[in-house]
């Protein structure tokens, strides 16, 4: 069983007419008691499990193709194929099949295909039906030959008999001799007949005929016949294949079988894609054998290269500093074509393929070629990386994390990807778009294999936000300094749009990592500066980013938006749009509609209280009117709740005679003061150094609140206690906030707040003047 002659790959044709790799094993033929007959058995190479057990039935049509393939149908819609490593093994099994069916092993197909139509089936399967006799291959008989071949295409049985007739006596080569005669005599009519003849031979869909036509000594003549389409002027396909399409041997290929397969596959692919006319709906499935021919050729090429030391030599040359740029370009283009061929492999084969490339060091090589000045090399490298990341992003992530231990941040593949994205010289940013797609796959938590490597998600995202995110947001921060859009040219805004798309993805799929980044860098404020751009799509990108944040309904984000007054740029853009019925108008309205429908009270109150006068004038939609109604309802509920709470307090407790001595701190108050630092941290929104704009606005609000309190407290006495019991005076006290309000943890913005005793009535506020003595009353400037 270990004999290499018996080594095979088992394929099954799926619903998309593509061959699925069912595994590699060894084939044998033996009597199976359960099936009561001689059967084909394939046992897996790895564990000996049974991959195939198929009884050789007397009426099954087996086809032998390319000397190493046996194809047959197991039922109506289930095609199977055995691809042998060696021709000898294929011949051995083929003889066994023919022996069981009583056929001559020299045939390429063991059974005639059954006709679909009952009448034709009866006619064609009759024993008296004569074989098709082709006319003598002469110039004067070309029209007759053309008509005969064309008439056979409608009947599967006649197609089989015609294919058999064409195989005998070297009829195809005789036709190609006539082609040379017609070209020499400039017999255009004869050339037109030959075009139709060979086009119809392709539609016979027979592998044995393809083997003859695609041989080295005949393929160019076949292409020549297909140049003379009667409906158009003659083409020059042979000229292109011989002179224009040059085979570049970037590194010497000593394996002649590999070399021959590469040449043949390229030419046959060219015939399928360029030379043959586009098949009609009725002819679509008539070239399936041609597609299979190309498919198996590509699989064989990938396998032959993997078994050769070719890849090792190629990657060594790519990473060698002395390799000339043009040579490196050719090597990378070869790798790209090689990866393209690998797309024909099944998942198991692909996994082996990419593991082999990874172990040989393709990712370090790509770090070099991605940074090349040569655009073609760079583009091909991006294509290779795309193949890699789309199939196995974890391999790239693992490589990145390994690099972090022994490589500078700038040389890490992840950072190289982002740097190349930022410096793309293409006006349309084609390469940047492709790199953005790669980056998006790499940072997507959905494809991080938590079950295999539980730390992958945590480790990779930690690295990304610690060492890489700054590269991504740098153009954004640079272009929005001082609250203005520095550069508003098309390329810059295209790049910023890509960055915003990635950041929006991060907001949606990452949690605390991106939240910390947005707060520490005051990122949302910078992004909203872009709403001043003259490019509407960039304005919409900035708005979409804010919409993603609001969609999370996160109190932390909401407090950040309110404290930073970050609705102001949105309202400004809405006013500038001046009611025009466009996408920007709809997007802004939808955001406020979402706030209303989801009843995000904090944002709703902020918008109505700060921008209500402006928005109330918008009457062409009901959004803002409904927003104010919802806000008023909420305020009414709050008042009712406060009134109910006040009414529930016994009147004796509201009496000033039994009021607590304000200078006495009970145990609860002591705990509140002592835990003040923890409270600050829990309610932290924006660090003190984050934004001067926020600080100035808050100081202004605090000053105005302080002046109001000055008037209330004038002539009264009292103290404000810190946790040591001493009176404190601080111009930055946030006296206007209650314990439920957002509090800034900055020493320059907040120290301590006033104690508000629960249950004190509003009408006793004037009596609270005894809390501050005239000599120690806080003064606000």
């Amino acid at each position: 069983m270990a004999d290499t002659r018996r080594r095979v790959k088992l394929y099954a044709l799926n619903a998309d007419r593509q061959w699925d790799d069912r595994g590699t094993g060894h084939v044998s033929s033996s009597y199976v008691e359960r099936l009561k007959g001689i059967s084909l058995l394939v046992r897996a190479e790895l564990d000996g499990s049974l991959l195939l057990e198929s009884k050789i039935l007397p009426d099954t049509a087996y086809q032998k193709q390319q000397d190493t393939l046996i194809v047959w149908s197991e039922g109506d819609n289930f095609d199977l194929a055995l691809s042998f490593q060696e021709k000898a093994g294929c011949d051995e099994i083929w003889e066994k099949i023919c022996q069981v069916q009583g056929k001559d092993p020299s045939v390429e197909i063991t059974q005639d295909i059954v006709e679909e139509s009952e009448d034709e089936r009866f006619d064609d399967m009759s024993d008296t039906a004569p074989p098709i006799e082709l006319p003598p291959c002469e110039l004067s008989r070309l029209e007759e030959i053309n008509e005969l071949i064309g008439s056979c295409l409608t009947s599967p049985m006649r197609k089989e008999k015609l294919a058999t007739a064409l195989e005998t006596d070297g009829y195809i080569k005789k036709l190609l001799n006539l082609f040379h005669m017609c070209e020499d005599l400039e017999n255009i009519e004869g050339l037109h007949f030959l075009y139709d003849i060979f086009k119809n031979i392709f539609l016979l869909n027979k592998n044995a005929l393809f083997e003859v036509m695609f041989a080295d000594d005949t393929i160019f003549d076949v292409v020549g016949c297909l140049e003379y389409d009667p409906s158009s002027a003659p083409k020059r396909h042979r000229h292109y294949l011989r002179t224009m399409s040059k085979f570049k041997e970037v590194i010497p290929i000593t394996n002649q079988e590999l070399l021959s397969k590469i040449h043949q596959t390229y030419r046959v692919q060219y015939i399928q894609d360029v030379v043959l006319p586009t098949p009609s709906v009725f002819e679509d499935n008539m070239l399936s054998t041609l597609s299979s021919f190309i498919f198996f050729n590509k699989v064989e090429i990938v396998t032959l290269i993997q078994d050769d030391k070719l890849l090792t030599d190629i990657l060594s040359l790519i990473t060698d500093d002395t390799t000339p740029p043009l040579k490196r370009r050719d090597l990378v283009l070869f790798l790209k074509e090689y990866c393209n061929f690998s797309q024909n492999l099944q998942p198991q084969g692909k996994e082996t393929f990419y593991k082999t490339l990874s172990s040989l060091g393709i990712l370090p090589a790509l770090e070099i070629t991605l940074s090349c000045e040569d655009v073609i090399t760079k583009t091909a490298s991006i294509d290779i990386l795309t193949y890699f990341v789309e199939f196995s992003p974890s391999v790239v992530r693992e490589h990145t994390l390994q690099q972090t231990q022994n490589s500078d941040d700038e040389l890490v593949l992840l950072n190289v990807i982002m740097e190349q994205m930022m410096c793309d010289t293409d006006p349309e940013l084609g390469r940047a778009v492709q790199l953005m797609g790669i980056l998006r796959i790499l940072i997507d938590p959905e494809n991080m294999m938590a079950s295999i490597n539980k730390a992958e998600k945590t480790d990779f995202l930690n690295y990304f936000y610690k060492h890489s995110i700054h590269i991504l947001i740098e153009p954004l921060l640079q272009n929005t300094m001082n609250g203005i859009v520095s550069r508003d040219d098309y390329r810059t805004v295209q790049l910023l749009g890509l960055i915003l798309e990635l950041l929006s993805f991060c907001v949606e799929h990452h949690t605390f990592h991106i939240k910390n980044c947005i707060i520490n860098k005051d990122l949302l404020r910078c992004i909203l500066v872009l709403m001043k751009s003259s490019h509407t799509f960039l304005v919409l990108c900035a708005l979409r980013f804010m919409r993603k944040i609001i969609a999370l309904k996160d109190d932390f984000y909401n407090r950040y938006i309110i404290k930073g007054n970050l609705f102001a740029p949105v309202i400004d853009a809405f006013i500038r749009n001046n009611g025009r019925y466009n996408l920007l108008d709809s997007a802004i309205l939808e955001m406020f509609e979402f706030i209303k429908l989801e009843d995000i009270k904090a944002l709703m109150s902020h918008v109505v209280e700060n921008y209500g006068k402006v928005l109330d004038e918008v009457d062409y939609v009901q959004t803002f009117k409904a927003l104010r109604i919802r806000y008023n309802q909420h305020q009414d509920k709050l008042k009712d709740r406060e009134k109910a709470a006040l009414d529930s307090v016994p009147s004796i407790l509201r009496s000033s005679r039994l009021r607590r001595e304000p200078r006495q701190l009970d145990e609860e108050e002591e705990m509140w003061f002592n835990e003040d630092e923890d409270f600050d941290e829990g309610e932290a929104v924006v660090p003190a150094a984050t934004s001067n704009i926020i600080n100035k606005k808050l100081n202004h609000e605090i000053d105005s609140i302080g002046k109001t309190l000055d008037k209330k407290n004038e002539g009264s006495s009292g103290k404000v206690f810190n946790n040591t019991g001493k009176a404190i005076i601080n111009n930055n006290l946030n006296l206007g906030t209650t314990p439920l309000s957002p509090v800034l943890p900055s020493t320059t913005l907040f120290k301590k707040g006033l104690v508000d005793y629960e249950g004190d009535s509003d009408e006793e506020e004037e009596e609270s003047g005894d809390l501050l003595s005239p000599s120690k009353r806080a003064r606000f400037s």
Side-chain angles (χ1 to χ4, degrees):
M1 288 295 290
D3 189 351
T4 55
R5 289 184 306 165
R6 299 285 188 90
R7 191 166 184 264
V8 294
K9 271 188 177 293
L10 176 64
Y11 292 93
L13 198 66
N14 61 27
D16 297 325
R17 308 298 297 171
Q18 297 293 322
W19 288 101
D20 288 339
D21 187 350
R22 294 298 177 88
T24 303
H26 291 85
V27 65
S28 63
S29 60
S30 58
Y31 184 84
V32 177
E33 182 65 32
R34 184 175 60 83
L35 299 176
K36 304 295 184 186
I38 301 294
S39 303
L40 295 177
L41 305 174
V42 178
R43 294 196 176 274
E45 191 172 47
L46 294 176
D47 55 8
S49 60
L50 197 62
L51 298 178
L52 175 71
E53 188 178 63
S54 173
K55 182 180 178 181
I56 302 174
L57 298 172
D59 56 349
T60 298
Y62 291 86
Q63 290 185 58
K64 184 182 176 188
Q65 301 177 2
Q66 300 184 45
D67 291 333
T68 57
L69 276 175
I70 296 177
V71 182
W72 74 98
S73 293
E74 194 91 358
D76 292 337
N77 296 306
F78 190 57
D79 290 359
L80 293 171
L82 290 176
S83 176
F84 289 78
Q85 182 170 333
E86 295 184 12
K87 179 180 182 296
C90 184
D91 292 341
E92 184 182 335
I93 297 298
W94 183 251
E95 287 177 10
K96 191 69 176 179
I97 292 170
C98 291
Q99 181 185 339
V100 172
Q101 293 195 339
K103 301 291 181 180
D104 184 351
S106 63
V107 299
E108 295 287 339
I109 183 166
T110 62
Q111 299 290 327
D112 292 333
I113 294 178
V114 179
E115 180 63 33
E116 292 182 5
S117 163
E118 290 292 335
D119 295 336
E120 288 178 346
R121 182 186 305 172
F122 177 80
D123 294 336
D124 289 334
M125 288 186 67
S126 63
D127 295 332
T128 58
I132 291 176
E133 290 187 12
L134 290 166
C137 203
E138 299 171 357
L139 281 176
S140 58
R141 311 292 289 271
L142 278 176
E143 185 175 3
E144 184 183 345
I145 296 170
N146 183 32
E147 288 177 358
L148 175 63
I149 292 177
S151 67
C152 292
L153 294 178
T154 56
S155 164
M157 187 60 63
R158 289 176 64 78
K159 282 170 66 176
E160 291 293 336
K161 291 185 178 293
L162 175 61
T164 304
L166 288 170
E167 287 176 53
T168 57
D169 300 329
Y171 203 85
I172 287 178
K173 289 194 174 182
K174 290 177 182 177
L175 286 171
L176 293 175
N177 288 333
L178 290 183
F179 166 70
H180 288 294
M181 292 173 62
C182 287
E183 274 207 318
D184 292 340
L185 298 171
E186 296 185 358
N187 183 349
I188 300 301
E189 185 183 17
L191 291 171
H192 287 168
F193 284 137
L194 283 166
Y195 169 87
D196 286 331
I197 288 169
F198 274 93
K199 186 190 79 169
N200 290 332
I201 290 175
F202 269 93
L203 295 177
L204 290 176
N205 209 24
K206 297 301 170 190
N207 197 77
L209 299 179
F210 292 154
E211 292 282 1
V212 175
M213 291 192 293
F214 299 153
D216 289 342
D217 59 337
T218 56
I219 190 166
F220 281 100
D221 292 337
V222 172
V223 172
C225 290
L226 295 173
E227 289 179 355
Y228 293 95
D229 184 352
S231 63
S232 63
K235 308 294 191 302
R236 302 187 66 195
H237 297 306
R238 284 172 294 174
H239 173 73
Y240 176 82
L241 286 173
R242 283 195 174 114
T243 60
M244 304 296 290
S245 63
K246 295 289 185 182
F247 175 69
K248 289 187 177 180
E249 202 168 0
V250 294
I251 194 167
I253 299 176
T254 55
N255 188 330
Q256 290 304 311
E257 183 186 1
L258 171 60
L259 204 57
S260 176
K261 283 288 179 188
I262 291 172
H263 284 301
Q264 186 187 58
T265 305
Y266 174 78
R267 291 163 184 166
V268 176
Q269 187 82 62
Y270 182 83
I271 289 172
Q272 185 187 46
D273 294 343
V274 180
V275 179
L276 285 175
T278 304
S280 68
V281 175
F282 303 104
E283 298 171 342
D284 199 25
N285 291 325
M286 298 181 79
L287 292 174
S288 58
T289 304
L290 182 61
S291 300
S292 296
F293 187 96
I294 296 169
F295 170 85
F296 285 112
N297 263 18
K298 287 182 176 180
V299 170
E300 194 171 345
I301 289 170
V302 171
T303 307
L304 287 170
I305 292 176
Q306 271 183 284
D307 294 341
D308 206 288
K309 67 181 186 69
L310 206 62
L311 286 176
T312 308
D313 296 340
I314 287 173
L315 291 169
S316 298
L317 281 171
I318 287 175
T319 53
D320 189 346
D321 294 338
T322 60
T323 304
L326 290 178
K327 177 74 172 176
R328 183 177 282 112
R329 175 203 287 181
D330 291 338
L331 291 165
V332 172
L333 288 172
F334 177 87
L335 272 182
K336 176 193 168 183
E337 193 68 18
Y338 181 51
C339 290
N340 186 28
F341 274 27
S342 75
Q343 301 309 297
N344 292 287
L345 299 173
Q346 297 305 311
Q348 186 180 356
K350 275 188 186 178
E351 188 173 353
T352 305
F353 171 80
Y354 286 115
K355 278 184 178 176
T356 302
L357 278 181
S358 181
S359 63
L360 292 175
I362 191 169
L363 293 176
L366 288 177
E367 288 165 15
I368 296 171
T369 57
L370 279 171
S371 305
C372 282
E373 293 183 4
D374 182 64
V375 173
I376 296 175
T377 305
K378 192 193 298 281
T379 304
S381 303
I382 294 172
D383 290 336
I384 295 170
L385 186 59
T386 302
Y387 285 131
F388 227 96
V389 170
E390 284 180 348
F391 181 77
S392 182
S394 286
V395 173
V396 182
R397 284 194 284 260
E398 184 182 350
H399 171 73
T400 300
L401 292 174
Q402 287 174 352
Q403 279 184 298
T404 59
Q405 301 167 5
N406 51 21
S407 185
D408 187 19
D409 279 350
E410 292 183 1
L411 303 176
V412 173
L413 179 60
L414 183 68
N415 294 352
V416 171
I417 291 171
M418 278 188 282
E419 284 164 2
Q420 291 304 313
M421 179 178 160
M422 301 309 156
C423 65
D424 186 8
T425 53
D426 180 6
E428 296 295 329
L429 293 182
R431 292 185 293 277
V433 170
Q434 203 171 346
L435 287 167
M436 189 270 287
I438 291 172
L439 195 56
R440 184 168 178 159
I441 294 173
L442 289 176
I443 63 174
D444 186 356
E446 296 297 322
N447 61 44
M448 295 184 182
M449 301 184 296
S451 57
I452 296 174
N453 180 7
K454 292 183 179 179
E456 181 186 27
K457 179 178 176 180
T458 306
D459 293 347
F460 188 78
L461 290 182
N462 282 343
Y463 178 82
F464 175 70
Y465 280 96
K466 189 174 180 182
H467 299 279
S468 304
I469 192 76
H470 67 278
I471 301 173
L472 184 65
I473 63 175
E474 183 62 25
L476 194 60
L477 299 178
Q478 288 291 332
N479 207 46
T480 55
M481 277 183 162
N482 305 319
I484 59 170
V485 181
S486 303
R487 297 183 60 185
D488 205 31
D489 58 279
Y490 182 71
R491 186 200 168 277
T492 301
V493 298
Q494 281 279 89
L495 178 61
L496 293 178
L498 290 177
I499 294 170
L500 284 177
E501 189 175 338
L502 268 177
L503 290 174
S504 298
F505 178 83
C506 293
V507 166
E508 197 170 2
H509 293 86
H510 302 162
T511 51
F512 62 93
H513 290 101
I514 188 66
K515 189 185 292 185
N516 289 340
C517 178
I518 290 172
I519 301 304
N520 291 333
K521 302 286 186 183
D522 200 11
L523 200 54
L524 181 55
R525 181 183 302 282
C526 297
I527 288 171
L528 291 176
V529 170
L530 298 176
M531 296 199 76
K532 300 175 183 176
S533 171
S534 59
H535 296 268
T536 307
F537 80 89
L538 184 61
V539 176
L540 288 166
C541 285
L543 185 66
R544 189 185 305 120
F545 180 79
M546 187 176 188
R547 175 67 175 78
K548 292 282 185 188
I549 289 177
I550 291 174
L552 297 175
K553 296 186 283 188
D554 186 312
D555 289 340
F556 194 83
Y557 277 131
N558 291 345
R559 291 197 297 270
Y560 167 58
I561 290 171
I562 292 167
K563 281 296 179 184
N565 196 26
L566 297 180
F567 273 107
V570 178
I571 302 297
D572 288 344
F574 185 64
I575 293 169
R576 283 198 306 273
N577 195 53
N578 199 26
R580 285 192 293 273
Y581 184 56
N582 55 20
L583 189 56
L584 177 60
D585 185 72
S586 299
I588 294 174
L589 290 173
E590 189 278 334
M591 186 165 74
F592 288 114
E593 191 71 28
F594 176 82
I595 293 171
K596 182 199 74 176
L597 291 174
E598 295 297 323
D599 200 21
I600 307 176
K601 295 180 177 62
L603 297 183
M604 186 163 45
S605 299
H606 175 72
V607 170
V608 173
E609 290 169 4
N610 290 274
Y611 309 105
K613 291 182 179 178
V614 176
L615 298 177
D616 285 345
E617 296 176 5
V618 179
D619 55 3
Y620 61 91
V621 288
Q622 298 299 308
T623 301
F624 300 113
K625 182 179 179 182
L627 203 64
R628 180 169 284 282
I629 292 171
R630 184 70 62 87
Y631 167 77
N632 291 337
Q633 290 171 348
H634 179 55
Q635 294 301 311
D636 291 342
K637 285 180 184 177
L638 285 177
K639 288 177 184 176
D640 292 344
R641 198 175 300 153
E642 289 173 4
K643 184 178 179 183
L646 186 61
D647 290 344
S648 65
V649 177
S651 59
I652 190 170
L653 294 180
R654 283 180 280 163
S655 171
S656 60
R657 289 176 297 168
L658 298 177
R659 188 170 178 175
R660 242 181 314 201
E661 178 60 33
R663 291 187 178 85
Q664 293 176 351
L665 293 173
D666 60 18
E667 185 180 352
E668 184 181 350
E669 292 167 21
E670 286 284 5
M671 287 174 62
W672 188 85
F673 279 121
N674 291 335
E675 294 174 358
D676 188 62
E677 289 184 6
D678 294 336
F679 172 75
D680 288 348
E681 291 173 9
E683 292 294 316
V685 179
V686 185
T690 300
S691 174
N692 291 330
I693 299 172
I694 294 178
N695 292 348
K696 288 176 184 176
K697 179 160 183 64
L698 286 174
N699 286 335
H700 174 72
E701 291 176 352
I702 291 165
D703 288 345
S704 61
I705 293 168
K707 288 173 185 176
T708 305
L709 287 178
D710 265 349
K711 293 178 181 179
K712 278 191 175 185
N713 294 331
E714 211 165 300
S716 62
S717 62
K719 290 182 182 178
V720 178
F721 294 98
N722 63 7
N723 54 2
T724 61
K726 295 179 181 178
I728 60 168
I729 302 297
N730 191 321
N731 286 346
N732 284 321
L733 281 174
N734 195 346
L735 300 177
T737 60
T738 69
L740 294 177
S741 301
V743 181
L744 293 166
S746 167
T747 55
T748 61
L749 296 182
F750 178 80
K751 285 293 184 186
K752 303 293 177 189
L754 290 173
V755 179
D756 186 12
Y757 293 99
E758 200 171 15
D760 287 349
S761 64
D762 293 337
E763 57 193 26
E764 288 178 359
E765 283 182 3
E766 294 180 5
E767 295 177 19
S768 66
D770 59 348
L771 288 175
L772 293 172
S773 66
S775 60
K776 296 183 179 180
R777 184 168 60 246
R779 297 291 180 187
F780 295 83
S781 57

